[in-house]
Amino acid sequence: MKNLVFKRETGWKILSRDELERFSRGYMDFIGKCKTERQVVSFVEDVLRRNGFSSIEEYDGSVPAKIYMKFRAKAIIAVKLSESLIRGINLVAAHIDSPRIDLKPHPIFEDEGIALAKTHYYGGVKKYQWFNIPLSIVGVVVKEDGSVVDINIGEKEEDPVFVISDLLPHLDRKDAKVSEKFQAEKMNLILGSMPLDDEEKEAVKLNILKILNDLYGIKEEDLVSADLALVPSFPPREVGLDRSFIAAYGHDDRVCAYTSMMALIDSKDGKNMGIILFDKEEIGSDGNTGAKSRFYLMFFRKILKKQGYEDVEYYLDEVLEKSYVISADVNAAVNPSYKDVHDLNNAARAGYGIVLTKYTGARGKAGASEARAELVAKVRSALNSRGILWQVGTLGKVDVGGGGTVAKFLAEKGAEVIDMGPGLIGMHSPYELVSKVDLYESYRAYKALLEEL
Ligand code: MN
Ligand code: MN
């Protein structure tokens, strides 16, 4: 009678430790290097090219084929085709933007002998978590002549880092709401305190501008045309005496980007399959590089055209209708110190495998994409046949939590979509935790689904 009960088990009792460690090392290398979506795109493009993928412009319409397209340096799609695209395609879609702190367009000012930079947070952050930690400035400045200057300060061990400081406890005894104590307009980044010789007004700010000019050949106005982010400087580290977790900035959702990329590279031929790595998920998937945009549809149209289809609009709908999409995003794993926010019967646990989320949304499933029972059964069967560890997860108690990701935008286009990804502890914090088991099982699950759906 025991097999009538739905029971889950921790992967630490089942999986080979060697395989977990090997996969974890590759991931830690990636997540330590890729702290912005631009960095992810160039890392992924490099891996794709080394594995025989070529850009859509080079594609001649034949199969088998390995093709990719970058979009505005901030999103990328890659496919492996074994037959005509018209047969449909299995896709894993993840996002490569993460919560962070951006610089404002006119950031630098001087106050009380200190030069600082104004910031604007991006995505859902608990602001206090970003105070008093080492931050790097990473991104690009584009000059008027169109030349792109790469900025990266704080990532190398010998680099200086930057800090957003707050008040000492002695002067902060008033018991106030966190939203009052940690305000966005107080999130000013300390840049320096050394005045430029012979200057009287704003000598510290001028010295900072001089250093930037010496290093990068830029002036203050150039910062208006820049994508500059502040990201945590700390490298990924193993966590716990047993080293069972990996801590890093940006697991959400680069853990799904990496595992799906590796799954695509390692998967055996036979079906059409691919990955889409979107930008802008953390602010609602808006903008021309997010999941609401059309670049991936344009990519499919180009393939259809090169494969000889005339009425690409009609055939694109047919492709999407025959396609399966794994919306690969992280879920919340239970933090034992805060378990009251979950319905524990329907919550994910660290180390118990990839999390299958049948529906997202909030309250009465508002804004949800819900996978049909038929699709959930198909996914379950594919994972069980390979002994891949999976569990169910919902984002918190009904009427407490909720949320959504790229799933619904792909579902709108007609594909069958289901949400799946590893659970994180401390999601959206500057130092999120993922279990090595859940990392590896996500890779194995995406590979199985690319090959078998
Ligand atoms: Mn996410
Ligand atoms: Mn997120």
Side-chain angles (χ1 to χ4, degrees):
M1 295 298 272
K2 266 195 176 154
N3 62 0
L4 292 181
V5 178
F6 176 43
K7 257 196 91 192
R8 303 287 90 188
E9 250 191 303
T10 169
W12 292 111
K13 288 187 177 172
I14 300 164
L15 299 170
S16 137
R17 183 91 200 218
D18 286 353
E19 278 176 52
L20 293 184
E21 295 300 342
R22 189 159 22 88
F23 194 82
S24 295
R25 277 195 294 278
Y27 175 63
M28 286 173 76
D29 175 61
F30 161 84
I31 197 71
K33 284 177 182 157
C34 295
K35 296 193 179 180
T36 65
E37 54 276 8
R38 285 175 192 264
Q39 289 175 326
V40 178
V41 167
S42 52
F43 187 104
V44 171
E45 183 182 25
D46 188 49
V47 172
L48 291 171
R49 291 206 77 97
R50 278 191 281 116
N51 283 278
F53 285 74
S54 47
S55 80
I56 183 74
E57 284 73 36
E58 303 164 73
Y59 179 49
D60 63 3
S62 62
V63 287
K66 296 180 184 180
I67 323 156
Y68 76 93
M69 184 178 82
K70 279 196 297 184
F71 198 64
R72 303 202 194 284
K74 299 182 91 180
I76 189 166
I77 176 168
V79 298
K80 255 159 80 166
L81 301 178
S82 291
E83 50 193 353
S84 165
L85 183 60
I86 201 73
R87 308 288 287 273
I89 183 164
N90 296 336
L91 292 165
V92 182
H95 68 91
I96 54 178
D97 61 319
S98 298
R100 60 174 192 252
I101 313 294
D102 286 335
L103 286 190
K104 286 194 186 185
H106 186 197
I108 307 179
F109 69 103
E110 179 177 334
D111 198 3
E112 299 296 333
I114 293 182
L116 302 112
K118 299 297 297 180
T119 68
H120 200 141
Y121 64 96
Y122 172 95
V125 301
K126 289 164 101 172
K127 298 184 190 81
Y128 70 86
Q129 295 180 334
W130 297 77
F131 284 80
N132 310 305
I133 60 166
L135 296 167
S136 306
I137 302 179
V138 182
V140 296
V141 174
V142 183
K143 295 206 249 185
E144 241 177 306
D145 63 4
S147 57
V148 180
V149 184
D150 259 300
I151 309 279
N152 191 323
I153 316 171
E155 290 295 288
K156 287 200 230 59
E157 226 170 298
E158 65 270 25
D159 282 355
V161 295
F162 305 89
V163 176
I164 297 169
S165 286
D166 78 324
L167 215 46
L168 59 167
H170 316 64
L171 297 178
D172 195 16
R173 291 211 167 104
K174 204 178 106 206
D175 198 12
K177 285 187 194 155
V178 271
S179 59
E180 284 162 17
K181 287 214 181 199
F182 302 96
Q183 294 172 18
E185 290 294 350
K186 288 194 189 294
M187 298 183 77
N188 298 323
L189 188 75
I190 293 178
L191 295 174
S193 58
M194 223 185 264
L196 191 68
D197 288 344
D198 309 325
E199 292 292 334
E200 281 175 13
K201 253 191 99 202
E202 299 205 313
V204 179
K205 173 178 167 176
L206 264 176
N207 193 43
I208 293 297
L209 290 177
K210 183 178 179 297
I211 294 171
L212 283 174
N213 189 262
D214 290 345
L215 286 172
Y216 299 110
I218 55 175
K219 55 186 201 304
E220 190 174 17
E221 191 187 304
D222 293 325
L223 295 176
V224 175
S225 48
D227 292 341
L228 289 175
L230 304 175
V231 296
S233 306
F234 14 78
R237 296 290 294 268
E238 293 176 299
V239 172
L241 286 170
D242 57 7
R243 300 170 184 260
S244 54
F245 290 100
I246 298 168
Y249 162 65
H251 286 319
D252 178 10
D253 185 34
R254 295 169 190 145
V255 65
C256 295
Y258 181 80
T259 46
S260 61
M261 174 193 75
M262 292 303 289
L264 179 68
I265 299 291
D266 294 345
S267 58
K268 64 173 196 303
D269 295 343
K271 295 232 170 165
N272 292 335
M273 59 183 82
I275 57 170
I276 317 178
L277 305 182
F278 289 111
D279 179 26
K280 297 283 183 278
E281 192 275 345
E282 296 294 355
I283 55 170
S285 294
D286 295 298
N288 56 20
T289 49
K292 285 185 194 167
S293 73
R294 301 161 61 88
F295 75 88
Y296 68 97
L297 299 173
M298 180 171 75
F299 176 76
F300 291 140
R301 282 192 197 96
K302 285 183 182 196
I303 293 177
L304 285 170
K305 211 161 176 200
K306 292 190 185 219
Q307 290 186 345
Y309 294 92
E310 293 289 328
D311 187 358
V312 286
E313 285 313 310
Y314 170 79
Y315 286 110
L316 179 62
D317 278 348
E318 197 169 318
V319 168
L320 290 163
E321 190 241 305
K322 286 182 191 158
S323 296
Y324 291 99
V325 180
I326 307 303
S327 166
D329 205 348
V330 297
N331 203 306
V334 173
N335 176 342
S337 307
Y338 296 90
K339 63 182 176 188
D340 47 310
V341 296
H342 297 281
D343 158 19
L344 293 170
N345 230 22
N346 287 280
R349 279 160 187 88
Y352 282 65
I354 191 166
V355 184
L356 195 156
T357 302
K358 187 172 186 292
Y359 54 84
T360 53
R363 301 178 306 282
K365 300 190 180 180
S369 170
E370 177 154 6
R372 289 199 305 155
E374 287 87 340
L375 174 60
V376 182
K378 210 169 154 70
V379 166
R380 204 156 61 90
S381 154
L383 300 181
N384 285 342
S385 71
R386 293 193 187 189
I388 294 165
L389 295 175
W390 61 273
Q391 54 181 327
V392 296
T394 53
L395 199 60
K397 283 179 177 163
V398 180
D399 285 343
V400 173
T405 176
V406 300
K408 64 176 179 179
F409 308 113
L410 292 137
E412 272 172 20
K413 303 291 185 298
E416 288 257 48
V417 184
I418 184 166
D419 266 290
M420 292 178 68
L424 299 186
I425 291 179
M427 191 205 293
H428 280 209
S429 80
Y431 220 35
E432 305 170 311
L433 304 186
V434 68
S435 163
K436 288 177 180 173
V437 166
D438 303 334
L439 168 74
Y440 189 58
E441 292 304 88
S442 297
Y443 158 74
R444 292 215 299 150
Y446 298 146
K447 184 166 175 286
L449 297 169
L450 285 175
E451 290 173 351
E452 284 186 27
L453 281 181

